[in-house]
mmCIF file of all heavy atoms in Angstrom:
data_model
loop_
_atom_site.group_PDB
_atom_site.id
_atom_site.type_symbol
_atom_site.label_atom_id
_atom_site.label_comp_id
_atom_site.label_asym_id
_atom_site.label_seq_id
_atom_site.Cartn_x
_atom_site.Cartn_y
_atom_site.Cartn_z
ATOM 1 N N ASP A 2 6.673 21.861 12.011
ATOM 2 C CA ASP A 2 7.701 21.970 13.036
ATOM 3 C C ASP A 2 7.858 20.638 13.761
ATOM 4 O O ASP A 2 7.275 19.623 13.371
ATOM 5 C CB ASP A 2 7.372 23.103 14.001
ATOM 6 C CG ASP A 2 6.049 22.899 14.736
ATOM 7 O OD1 ASP A 2 5.496 21.780 14.708
ATOM 8 O OD2 ASP A 2 5.584 23.867 15.370
ATOM 9 N N VAL A 4 6.715 19.644 16.593
ATOM 10 C CA VAL A 4 5.458 19.136 17.165
ATOM 11 C C VAL A 4 4.654 18.407 16.093
ATOM 12 O O VAL A 4 4.130 17.316 16.331
ATOM 13 C CB VAL A 4 4.636 20.279 17.811
ATOM 14 C CG1 VAL A 4 3.273 19.783 18.263
ATOM 15 C CG2 VAL A 4 5.397 20.875 18.997
ATOM 16 N N HIS A 6 5.805 16.928 13.445
ATOM 17 C CA HIS A 6 6.499 15.657 13.203
ATOM 18 C C HIS A 6 6.236 14.670 14.335
ATOM 19 O O HIS A 6 6.089 13.465 14.097
ATOM 20 C CB HIS A 6 8.001 15.889 13.002
ATOM 21 C CG HIS A 6 8.333 16.473 11.671
ATOM 22 N ND1 HIS A 6 8.318 15.738 10.510
ATOM 23 C CD2 HIS A 6 8.669 17.736 11.312
ATOM 24 C CE1 HIS A 6 8.643 16.514 9.491
ATOM 25 N NE2 HIS A 6 8.853 17.740 9.955
ATOM 26 N N SER A 16 -2.754 4.870 14.762
ATOM 27 C CA SER A 16 -3.664 5.924 14.303
ATOM 28 C C SER A 16 -4.885 6.084 15.204
ATOM 29 O O SER A 16 -5.629 7.047 15.065
ATOM 30 C CB SER A 16 -4.110 5.658 12.859
ATOM 31 O OG SER A 16 -4.875 4.471 12.782
ATOM 32 N N GLU A 22 -4.165 11.861 24.399
ATOM 33 C CA GLU A 22 -2.868 11.222 24.601
ATOM 34 C C GLU A 22 -1.787 11.883 23.748
ATOM 35 O O GLU A 22 -0.653 12.058 24.197
ATOM 36 C CB GLU A 22 -2.932 9.724 24.266
ATOM 37 C CG GLU A 22 -1.627 9.021 24.589
ATOM 38 C CD GLU A 22 -1.686 7.522 24.380
ATOM 39 O OE1 GLU A 22 -2.794 6.944 24.380
ATOM 40 O OE2 GLU A 22 -0.605 6.937 24.220
ATOM 41 N N GLU A 25 -0.794 14.993 25.614
ATOM 42 C CA GLU A 25 -0.005 14.686 26.808
ATOM 43 C C GLU A 25 1.425 14.298 26.441
ATOM 44 O O GLU A 25 2.385 14.763 27.069
ATOM 45 C CB GLU A 25 -0.661 13.549 27.600
ATOM 46 C CG GLU A 25 -1.905 13.968 28.351
ATOM 47 C CD GLU A 25 -2.607 12.781 29.020
ATOM 48 O OE1 GLU A 25 -2.059 11.648 28.990
ATOM 49 O OE2 GLU A 25 -3.704 12.999 29.569
ATOM 50 N N ARG A 26 1.564 13.442 25.445
ATOM 51 C CA ARG A 26 2.899 12.960 25.069
ATOM 52 C C ARG A 26 3.775 14.061 24.502
ATOM 53 O O ARG A 26 5.000 14.016 24.634
ATOM 54 C CB ARG A 26 2.768 11.804 24.078
ATOM 55 C CG ARG A 26 2.245 10.548 24.775
ATOM 56 C CD ARG A 26 1.954 9.397 23.859
ATOM 57 N NE ARG A 26 3.084 8.987 23.064
ATOM 58 C CZ ARG A 26 3.036 8.036 22.143
ATOM 59 N NH1 ARG A 26 1.898 7.396 21.922
ATOM 60 N NH2 ARG A 26 4.096 7.718 21.445
ATOM 61 N N GLY A 28 3.279 17.374 25.274
ATOM 62 C CA GLY A 28 3.299 18.516 26.190
ATOM 63 C C GLY A 28 2.602 19.748 25.634
ATOM 64 O O GLY A 28 3.048 20.874 25.878
ATOM 65 N N ARG A 37 -3.854 21.092 15.272
ATOM 66 C CA ARG A 37 -2.731 20.657 14.431
ATOM 67 C C ARG A 37 -3.087 19.420 13.609
ATOM 68 O O ARG A 37 -2.773 19.332 12.431
ATOM 69 C CB ARG A 37 -1.493 20.391 15.292
ATOM 70 C CG ARG A 37 -0.795 21.671 15.732
ATOM 71 C CD ARG A 37 0.303 21.335 16.736
ATOM 72 N NE ARG A 37 1.076 22.503 17.114
ATOM 73 C CZ ARG A 37 2.214 22.876 16.546
ATOM 74 N NH1 ARG A 37 2.716 22.193 15.543
ATOM 75 N NH2 ARG A 37 2.854 23.944 16.976
ATOM 76 N N ILE A 47 -1.774 14.335 6.215
ATOM 77 C CA ILE A 47 -2.376 13.074 6.639
ATOM 78 C C ILE A 47 -3.464 12.761 5.628
ATOM 79 O O ILE A 47 -4.439 13.508 5.503
ATOM 80 C CB ILE A 47 -2.965 13.163 8.063
ATOM 81 C CG1 ILE A 47 -1.859 13.409 9.086
ATOM 82 C CG2 ILE A 47 -3.752 11.900 8.402
ATOM 83 C CD1 ILE A 47 -2.352 13.616 10.511
ATOM 84 N N PHE A 50 -6.677 7.629 7.978
ATOM 85 C CA PHE A 50 -6.377 6.832 9.156
ATOM 86 C C PHE A 50 -6.770 5.405 8.807
ATOM 87 O O PHE A 50 -7.893 5.153 8.397
ATOM 88 C CB PHE A 50 -7.169 7.337 10.367
ATOM 89 C CG PHE A 50 -6.802 8.744 10.757
ATOM 90 C CD1 PHE A 50 -7.427 9.838 10.158
ATOM 91 C CD2 PHE A 50 -5.832 8.979 11.706
ATOM 92 C CE1 PHE A 50 -7.081 11.121 10.504
ATOM 93 C CE2 PHE A 50 -5.477 10.273 12.059
ATOM 94 C CZ PHE A 50 -6.106 11.350 11.459
ATOM 95 N N ILE A 52 -6.104 0.881 9.258
ATOM 96 C CA ILE A 52 -5.746 -0.222 10.127
ATOM 97 C C ILE A 52 -4.726 -1.079 9.393
ATOM 98 O O ILE A 52 -4.646 -1.065 8.166
ATOM 99 C CB ILE A 52 -6.970 -1.060 10.534
ATOM 100 C CG1 ILE A 52 -7.678 -1.628 9.298
ATOM 101 C CG2 ILE A 52 -7.922 -0.249 11.384
ATOM 102 C CD1 ILE A 52 -8.754 -2.641 9.621
ATOM 103 N N ALA A 58 -3.388 -13.775 8.411
ATOM 104 C CA ALA A 58 -4.576 -14.079 9.210
ATOM 105 C C ALA A 58 -5.819 -14.184 8.329
ATOM 106 O O ALA A 58 -6.800 -14.815 8.709
ATOM 107 C CB ALA A 58 -4.777 -13.014 10.289
ATOM 108 N N LEU A 63 1.124 -15.696 1.219
ATOM 109 C CA LEU A 63 2.202 -15.769 0.228
ATOM 110 C C LEU A 63 2.250 -14.474 -0.576
ATOM 111 O O LEU A 63 1.525 -14.321 -1.548
ATOM 112 C CB LEU A 63 2.002 -16.965 -0.707
ATOM 113 C CG LEU A 63 3.073 -17.144 -1.782
ATOM 114 C CD1 LEU A 63 4.446 -17.378 -1.160
ATOM 115 C CD2 LEU A 63 2.698 -18.302 -2.699
ATOM 116 N N HIS A 68 6.299 -8.288 -11.628
ATOM 117 C CA HIS A 68 6.798 -7.247 -12.514
ATOM 118 C C HIS A 68 6.127 -7.466 -13.859
ATOM 119 O O HIS A 68 6.114 -8.595 -14.372
ATOM 120 C CB HIS A 68 8.310 -7.338 -12.667
ATOM 121 C CG HIS A 68 9.046 -7.183 -11.376
ATOM 122 N ND1 HIS A 68 10.416 -7.119 -11.312
ATOM 123 C CD2 HIS A 68 8.624 -7.071 -10.092
ATOM 124 C CE1 HIS A 68 10.797 -6.980 -10.061
ATOM 125 N NE2 HIS A 68 9.720 -6.953 -9.305
ATOM 126 N N ARG A 70 5.507 -6.088 -17.903
ATOM 127 C CA ARG A 70 5.792 -5.255 -19.068
ATOM 128 C C ARG A 70 4.480 -5.148 -19.828
ATOM 129 O O ARG A 70 3.832 -6.158 -20.108
ATOM 130 C CB ARG A 70 6.881 -5.893 -19.943
ATOM 131 C CG ARG A 70 7.373 -4.970 -21.051
ATOM 132 C CD ARG A 70 8.598 -5.532 -21.788
ATOM 133 N NE ARG A 70 9.739 -5.666 -20.880
ATOM 134 C CZ ARG A 70 10.361 -6.813 -20.611
ATOM 135 N NH1 ARG A 70 9.978 -7.935 -21.172
ATOM 136 N NH2 ARG A 70 11.382 -6.843 -19.778
ATOM 137 N N ASN A 74 1.210 2.902 -24.025
ATOM 138 C CA ASN A 74 -0.026 3.670 -23.879
ATOM 139 C C ASN A 74 -1.195 2.866 -23.306
ATOM 140 O O ASN A 74 -2.351 3.169 -23.586
ATOM 141 C CB ASN A 74 -0.438 4.303 -25.217
ATOM 142 C CG ASN A 74 0.634 5.206 -25.761
ATOM 143 O OD1 ASN A 74 1.196 6.024 -25.039
ATOM 144 N ND2 ASN A 74 0.953 5.046 -27.034
ATOM 145 N N THR A 75 -0.897 1.839 -22.504
ATOM 146 C CA THR A 75 -1.986 1.060 -21.905
ATOM 147 C C THR A 75 -1.991 1.130 -20.381
ATOM 148 O O THR A 75 -2.730 0.393 -19.726
ATOM 149 C CB THR A 75 -1.911 -0.425 -22.340
ATOM 150 O OG1 THR A 75 -0.679 -0.991 -21.879
ATOM 151 C CG2 THR A 75 -2.041 -0.575 -23.848
ATOM 152 N N ALA A 90 -2.275 -5.646 -3.610
ATOM 153 C CA ALA A 90 -2.114 -4.796 -2.432
ATOM 154 C C ALA A 90 -1.480 -3.457 -2.787
ATOM 155 O O ALA A 90 -1.630 -2.481 -2.069
ATOM 156 C CB ALA A 90 -1.258 -5.506 -1.386
ATOM 157 N N GLY A 97 12.517 1.080 -15.604
ATOM 158 C CA GLY A 97 13.424 -0.062 -15.579
ATOM 159 C C GLY A 97 13.041 -1.083 -16.622
ATOM 160 O O GLY A 97 12.389 -0.764 -17.618
ATOM 161 N N VAL A 105 1.182 -8.613 -4.809
ATOM 162 C CA VAL A 105 -0.004 -9.453 -4.667
ATOM 163 C C VAL A 105 0.145 -10.327 -3.432
ATOM 164 O O VAL A 105 1.254 -10.588 -2.962
ATOM 165 C CB VAL A 105 -0.248 -10.342 -5.917
ATOM 166 C CG1 VAL A 105 -0.519 -9.479 -7.147
ATOM 167 C CG2 VAL A 105 0.903 -11.295 -6.164
ATOM 168 N N ASP A 109 -1.549 -19.541 -1.545
ATOM 169 C CA ASP A 109 -0.488 -20.538 -1.656
ATOM 170 C C ASP A 109 0.077 -20.471 -3.073
ATOM 171 O O ASP A 109 -0.330 -19.628 -3.873
ATOM 172 C CB ASP A 109 -1.022 -21.938 -1.336
ATOM 173 C CG ASP A 109 -2.273 -22.302 -2.136
ATOM 174 O OD1 ASP A 109 -2.407 -21.855 -3.305
ATOM 175 O OD2 ASP A 109 -3.124 -23.033 -1.603
ATOM 176 N N GLU A 111 -0.266 -22.480 -5.618
ATOM 177 C CA GLU A 111 -1.267 -22.764 -6.666
ATOM 178 C C GLU A 111 -2.114 -21.520 -6.960
ATOM 179 O O GLU A 111 -2.385 -21.201 -8.115
ATOM 180 C CB GLU A 111 -2.159 -23.935 -6.240
ATOM 181 C CG GLU A 111 -3.230 -24.296 -7.248
ATOM 182 C CD GLU A 111 -2.683 -24.759 -8.599
ATOM 183 O OE1 GLU A 111 -1.527 -25.215 -8.667
ATOM 184 O OE2 GLU A 111 -3.420 -24.643 -9.594
ATOM 185 N N HIS A 112 -2.518 -20.827 -5.926
ATOM 186 C CA HIS A 112 -3.285 -19.593 -6.089
ATOM 187 C C HIS A 112 -2.449 -18.545 -6.831
ATOM 188 O O HIS A 112 -2.929 -17.872 -7.743
ATOM 189 C CB HIS A 112 -3.729 -19.088 -4.715
ATOM 190 C CG HIS A 112 -4.541 -17.835 -4.750
ATOM 191 N ND1 HIS A 112 -4.629 -16.996 -3.668
ATOM 192 C CD2 HIS A 112 -5.296 -17.252 -5.714
ATOM 193 C CE1 HIS A 112 -5.394 -15.967 -3.959
ATOM 194 N NE2 HIS A 112 -5.808 -16.092 -5.203
ATOM 195 N N ILE A 121 -3.400 -12.424 -14.755
ATOM 196 C CA ILE A 121 -2.591 -11.256 -15.111
ATOM 197 C C ILE A 121 -2.062 -11.386 -16.541
ATOM 198 O O ILE A 121 -2.204 -10.466 -17.351
ATOM 199 C CB ILE A 121 -1.448 -11.033 -14.094
ATOM 200 C CG1 ILE A 121 -2.042 -10.670 -12.724
ATOM 201 C CG2 ILE A 121 -0.503 -9.936 -14.595
ATOM 202 C CD1 ILE A 121 -1.020 -10.556 -11.603
ATOM 203 N N VAL A 128 2.535 -7.774 -21.874
ATOM 204 C CA VAL A 128 3.492 -8.349 -22.804
ATOM 205 C C VAL A 128 4.288 -9.460 -22.111
ATOM 206 O O VAL A 128 4.522 -10.516 -22.691
ATOM 207 C CB VAL A 128 4.453 -7.262 -23.349
ATOM 208 C CG1 VAL A 128 5.544 -7.860 -24.209
ATOM 209 C CG2 VAL A 128 3.679 -6.198 -24.110
#
Side-chain angles (χ1 to χ4, degrees):
D2 61 13
V4 174
H6 285 285
S16 65
E22 185 175 338
E25 286 175 6
R26 288 174 57 183
R37 283 172 175 266
I47 296 176
F50 297 87
I52 59 171
L63 180 61
H68 300 186
R70 189 172 297 120
N74 302 314
T75 62
V105 297
D109 52 33
E111 180 62 23
H112 181 203
I121 294 174
V128 174

